[in-house]
Structures are given as C-alpha cells and as structure tokens.
Amino acid sequence: MNYILMGPPGAGKGTQAKKIVEKFGIVHLSTGDMFREAKKSDEDIRKFLVSGRLVPDEIVVNMVKKRLEKDDIKKGFLLDGFPRTVNQAQELDKMLKSENIKIDAVFFIDVHFEEAVKRISGRRVCSCGASYHVNFIPPKVKGKCDVCNGELIQRSDDKENVVKDRLDVYKKQTSPLIDYYKKTGLFVNIDGLKSESEVFKEIKKYIEAK
Ligand SMILES: [Zn+2]
C-alpha cells in the first residue's frame, strides 16, 4: 500500500493524510516534516528555508531518497508534498524502480481556485494556538478568541493576494504533474468540495477496493 497525496493549499490535505495513515497503519512521508527535521542538522537546507527560496530538486530528491531507505516504509507509505514537479516524479520513479517498490494510486484532492482562496483567506489564528474561520468556524465574538479572549489575527501567508500567488505557483507546477500521473493510470481525482469525512470516505473506499 503505497500512495501519493496531492492537493492545492486549502484542500485539507493535512487532515486527510492524518486520517489515512491512522486508518491503514502506513507511514506518513511528509516533506514538510522532513524539512523541519533536516533544518536542525543540515546547514544547506536550513539556508534555503530561511531565505524563503525554493529548495532545489536535487536536495529534495536526496532527502526523500534517504527517507525511503528506512525499513519502516515496508508497512506502506503515503507521500505528502512530493513530488511537486515532473522532474521530481521522474526521479521518484527511478528510486522506486531500483527498490522494486510500486505506487498504488495518486490521490488528488481537487478544489477549485475560488474555493481554495475562500478557505485560506478566511482563516484566523490566536497566539494561544486556537484557530478559526470567519465562515466555517467563527469565534463567538468577532475577532476574539473563544479560549483566551485574545485578538485574532490573519497570518500574512493567508492574505488573499498572497494566497492567489501561492495557488498560481501551485497550478503552474502541478498541471504537468497531473498529466504525468494521468498517463500512468494511477491518478484518482477526489472531489475536495465535499466535507472532510466524505472526502476521507471516498479515499478509503478506493483503498479498500484494491
Ligand atoms: Zn486564544
């Protein structure tokens, strides 16, 4: 059971990843987590992350490669955040081929542009760690945290124009990747406009049918 999970920012990919690895007992291979870990010990990666520049393919690929050498992936895995580009996907294919590992499906949580913008730009957070959404999880008092009564703020990354830029970048990078996986027959489109539990049900149904 080896899967790839893809989806634009705002698609709820993190939540689904957690549900999938819990339900099926497979390993969550998140490049986000790998970066956070590598940042502590790897000076090259730290420099890129601090500067905000895109980490070059070669570094990302090597990081994933090292992770795939660990024994625990034999339980099955869910790749999250990788591959991002066709080049990365081709490198992944090479790695897997040499280890005789197969990918069973590539799940793409599909959310259209306007919906993703609405979901992300509506997020509000409190310094105590609580998070809200102006439409979906509004606080009892507008702009105030239910837990600590603190002032709610919008992360700079979540501002509408920033979100639109992020989504543009995502779209440009991923459209060729989606075509790439469609050709392999592994691509599974999941309607991300449904509720979290319905999205999960769809993914689960697919995995269990295999
Ligand atoms: Zn709070």
Side-chain angles (χ1 to χ4, degrees), residues 9 23 60 69 71 98 136 149 157 160 179 195 202 204:
K23 171 76 188 171
V60 185
E69 280 164 5
D71 264 350
S98 69
F136 311 131
N149 205 34
D157 255 13
E160 194 168 322
D179 291 339
S195 71
E202 229 180 282
K204 196 172 81 147

Side-chain angles (χ1 to χ4, degrees), residues 112-191:
H112 61 74
F113 202 91
E114 295 76 19
E115 176 67 17
V117 171
K118 199 170 101 188
R119 287 186 183 184
I120 303 173
S121 62
R123 287 179 189 159
R124 296 293 181 272
V125 293
C126 175
S127 55
C128 78
S131 55
Y132 302 86
H133 190 284
V134 291
N135 306 113
F136 311 131
I137 327 161
K140 289 192 188 94
V141 180
K142 196 178 170 234
K144 295 272 180 202
C145 176
D146 293 352
V147 183
C148 73
N149 205 34
E151 207 71 44
L152 299 184
I153 59 148
Q154 184 180 36
R155 281 198 209 101
S156 57
D157 255 13
D158 294 344
K159 297 232 156 76
E160 194 168 322
N161 55 335
V162 181
V163 174
K164 283 182 172 158
D165 285 347
R166 275 165 69 197
L167 285 167
D168 270 335
V169 171
Y170 183 83
K171 216 169 163 184
K172 271 192 205 113
Q173 275 189 341
T174 3
S175 316
L177 190 58
I178 290 173
D179 291 339
Y180 180 85
Y181 281 123
K182 276 184 177 162
K183 276 182 212 142
T184 63
L186 297 173
F187 189 81
V188 183
N189 198 78
I190 303 284
D191 180 3

